[in-house]
């Protein structure tokens, strides 16, 4: 029979040595892409397996593999001055367009709020995450020295409460808004913020994918319960973050499956969506066993993304040999490695049996991890390279959760989108910190000791004292205080607080007086 090679040239094929397969045992070639090559004869007969190509897992005669270099330039994409202040860097992420969105949408529901007030409001929210008190109103208490802060000098308590109450990100009656989107109240804000995350910084070629939880216990259709997470109830956010810094370069809020249509292939879709901006870049993505599968890694490899992760023993197409599964009965710290084409699988015995799958690691290479051996101090233990790299690069999202969680503002609200909003504010501040540190050079560490120090300066720069007197008002701008412009008379039967005195002494320790007098 005349057949054709992959380059189109014909050659003679000797059928001796072929094994026949039942028709029902032949798998879809699309599902077996990159596992073996096939040929088709000129008469259109069924595809047959070509003997000589690797079609099953092997534990010897490994074919060497080389990690492909990341094709993009890591680091800052936009120029940032070495001596840039925290607010200058934060403004590259939180642009005027985002400030205008907050101010415009909030003003639809209340008296005008200026951009300066909104910055002061968010600056105070960041401050409340650093300096924690039992209740929000305690920041304005002045009767005890324990609670005496400079917050009243920045904004009056009532003004802050009113902005807090009427804060909006989207017009509720906008006819152009697609309310079938469960995130319509915050969708525009998220899209603008994510675009800035990706426009300002490029990861260093290594990223991790994991879920992050935003605490919320109210009634919500897509609220999740994860008993193994520190935050068990809340909104789940799929996050891709740089492994070494925790910089968020992509995220997606999980809103649950469509009612009546259980979602299949969720993990595959999530990783593909998060990695989509990096198709063809040779980015190395690390993930845990919720996401990893043979099908996903082959798909990512075809799209120019290198992937590695722990894998569950029951996943399809994994090695079936006993020595390559959890039933191998290995002694502690022992491991076995298998290869199939570009896929490398390893099983290692530690406290538990651990399985790792990779589409780019060389099965012959090794690394080391720190483990206790014989109850002694931690020492270097030899492991396959895929396992050593997984431990090194899987920490990105956990690092993000740690840093954002330290200084997250804690507040009670029945509005779910507020929790998500303040979480994203924290993520934006941390991303700006990574940008500033990346562009600061060796002298950066002498300006700030760490993220907390940098965040304090950012909050302080955002806050411009906005007392009740300087806040925008719908009232005409006329001179305040009793003057010839007022026709004073006794108009009250009971003493009331003077409005002018209240404005005058706002933000101070002076208590405004009461009077029977007023302007007719």
């Amino acid at each position: 029979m005349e057949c054709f090679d992959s380059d189109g040239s014909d050659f003679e094929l000797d059928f001796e040595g072929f094994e026949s397969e039942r028709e029902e045992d032949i798998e879809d070639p699309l599902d077996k892409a990159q596992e073996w090559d096939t040929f088709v004869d000129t008469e259109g007969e069924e595809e047959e397996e070509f003997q000589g190509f690797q079609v099953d897992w092997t534990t010897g005669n490994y074919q060497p593999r080389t990690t492909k270099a990341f094709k993009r330039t890591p680091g800052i994409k936009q120029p940032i001055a070495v001596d840039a202040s925290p607010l200058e860097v934060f403004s590259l992420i939180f642009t005027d367009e985002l400030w205008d969105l907050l101010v415009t949408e909030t003003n639809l529901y209340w008296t005008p709020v200026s951009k300066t007030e909104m910055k002061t409001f968010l600056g105070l929210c960041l401050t409340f995450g650093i300096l924690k008190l039992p209740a929000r109103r305690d920041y304005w208490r002045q009767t005890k020295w324990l609670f005496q802060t400079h917050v009243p000098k920045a904004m009056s308590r009532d003004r802050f409460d009113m902005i807090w109450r009427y804060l909006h990100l989207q017009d509720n009656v906008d006819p152009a808004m697609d309310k079938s989107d469960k995130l319509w109240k915050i969708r525009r804000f998220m899209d603008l913020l994510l675009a800035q995350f990706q426009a300002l910084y490029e990861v260093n070629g290594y990223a991790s994918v994991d879920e992050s939880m935003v605490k919320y216990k109210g009634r919500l259709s897509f609220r999740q319960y994860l008993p193994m997470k520190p935050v068990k109830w809340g909104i789940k956010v799929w996050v891709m973050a740089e492994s070494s810094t925790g910089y968020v370069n992509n995220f997606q809020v999980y809103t649950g499956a469509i009612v009546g249509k259980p979602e299949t292939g969720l993990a595959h879709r999530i990783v593909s969506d998060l990695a989509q901006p990096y198709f063809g870049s040779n980015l190395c993505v690390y993930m845990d066993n919720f996401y990893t599968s043979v099908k996903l890694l082959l798909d990512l490899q075809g799209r120019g993304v290198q992937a590695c992760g722990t894998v569950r023993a029951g996943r399809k197409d994994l090695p079936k040999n006993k020595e390559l599964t959890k039933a191998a009965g290995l002694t502690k710290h022992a491991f076995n490695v298998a290869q199939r084409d570009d896929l490398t699988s390893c099983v290692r015995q530690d406290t538990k049996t651990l399985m790792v799958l990779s589409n780019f690691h060389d099965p012959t290479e090794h690394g080391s991890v720190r483990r206790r051996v014989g109850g002694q101090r931690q020492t270097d233990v030899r492991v396959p390279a895929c396992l050593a790299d997984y431990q090194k690069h899987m920490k990105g999202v956990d690092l993000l959760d740690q840093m954002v969680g330290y200084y997250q503002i804690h507040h009670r609200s029945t509005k779910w989108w507020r929790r998500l909003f303040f979480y994203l504010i924290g993520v934006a501040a941390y991303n700006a910190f990574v940008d500033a540190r990346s562009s600061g050079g060796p002298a950066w560490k002498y300006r700030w000791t760490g993220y907390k120090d940098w965040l304090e300066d950012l909050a302080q720069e955002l806050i411009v004292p906005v007392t009740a007197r300087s806040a925008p008002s719908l009232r005409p701008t006329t001179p305040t205080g009793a003057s010839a412009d007022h026709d004073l008379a006794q108009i009250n039967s009971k003493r009331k607080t003077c409005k002018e005195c209240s404005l005058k002494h706002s933000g101070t320790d002076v208590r405004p007086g009461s009077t029977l007098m007023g302007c007719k």
Side-chain angles (χ1 to χ4, degrees), residues 83-287:
D83 58 347
S85 68
L87 182 57
E88 290 174 339
V89 181
F90 183 73
S91 297
L92 295 177
I93 292 179
F94 215 89
T95 61
D96 286 339
E97 185 176 7
L98 284 167
W99 288 117
D100 292 339
L101 174 65
L102 265 63
V103 171
T104 302
E105 297 300 333
T106 301
N107 283 339
L108 293 177
Y109 295 88
W110 189 43
T111 56
V113 177
S114 67
K115 188 183 297 186
T116 300
E117 273 192 300
M118 188 59 70
K119 290 183 177 181
T120 300
F121 173 79
L122 286 186
L124 290 175
C125 290
L126 293 176
T127 301
F128 298 164
I130 301 170
L131 179 63
K132 293 180 172 63
L133 292 179
R136 196 173 71 227
R137 298 176 72 89
D138 289 339
Y139 292 98
W140 283 269
R141 291 178 62 181
Q142 298 295 309
T143 55
K144 296 182 180 180
W145 68 267
L146 179 65
F147 297 101
Q148 289 179 3
T149 67
H150 292 286
V151 171
K153 298 179 181 179
M155 179 179 286
S156 69
R157 183 195 62 196
D158 292 345
R159 186 70 176 175
F160 183 92
D161 288 345
M162 293 300 285
I163 297 177
W164 181 281
R165 177 179 179 182
Y166 291 105
L167 179 68
H168 274 75
L169 303 175
Q170 178 62 48
D171 185 3
N172 293 339
V173 295
D174 185 1
M177 179 54 57
D178 179 17
K179 293 192 176 182
S180 62
D181 180 7
K182 296 181 180 180
L183 299 173
W184 66 271
K185 281 183 173 290
I186 199 172
R187 173 67 67 185
R188 184 182 172 191
F189 176 81
M190 288 197 309
D191 291 344
L192 291 173
L193 201 59
L194 178 59
Q196 292 305 118
F197 289 169
Q198 297 176 350
L200 187 59
Y201 184 84
E202 188 63 82
V203 298
N204 62 2
Y206 299 94
S208 61
V209 172
D210 206 350
E211 62 269 12
S212 181
M213 290 289 287
V214 181
K215 187 176 181 179
Y216 183 74
K217 289 189 176 181
R219 298 183 62 180
L220 184 63
S221 62
F222 51 90
R223 184 189 63 177
Q224 300 293 304
Y225 175 64
L226 300 180
M228 302 303 292
K229 290 287 186 179
V231 178
K232 294 177 173 54
W233 292 94
I235 303 169
K236 184 189 293 184
V237 184
W238 311 105
V239 178
M240 176 183 283
E242 186 179 40
S243 297
S244 59
T245 63
Y247 185 95
V248 176
N249 56 330
N250 207 352
F251 68 87
Q252 191 177 100
V253 179
Y254 180 59
T255 57
I258 301 175
V259 178
K261 296 182 179 180
E263 186 171 12
T264 59
L266 173 64
H268 190 289
R269 178 186 67 80
I270 290 300
V271 177
S272 299
D273 288 350
L274 294 178
Q276 190 274 333
Y278 294 91
F279 285 169
S281 68
N282 294 333
L283 175 72
C284 296
V285 179
Y286 292 82
M287 63 200 83

Side-chain angles (χ1 to χ4, degrees), residues 266-331:
L266 173 64
H268 190 289
R269 178 186 67 80
I270 290 300
V271 177
S272 299
D273 288 350
L274 294 178
Q276 190 274 333
Y278 294 91
F279 285 169
S281 68
N282 294 333
L283 175 72
C284 296
V285 179
Y286 292 82
M287 63 200 83
D288 62 26
N289 60 19
F290 174 79
Y291 310 92
T292 310
S293 67
V294 171
K295 183 178 179 181
L296 172 62
L297 265 60
L298 291 175
D299 183 35
L300 291 177
Q301 184 187 44
R303 297 173 183 268
V305 175
Q306 301 174 116
C308 174
T310 54
V311 62
R312 297 176 182 176
R315 295 290 191 187
K316 185 179 179 181
D317 296 328
L318 286 177
K320 302 300 181 184
N321 298 342
K322 182 178 179 180
E323 64 270 15
L324 299 175
T325 65
K326 287 192 173 184
L330 298 172
T331 59

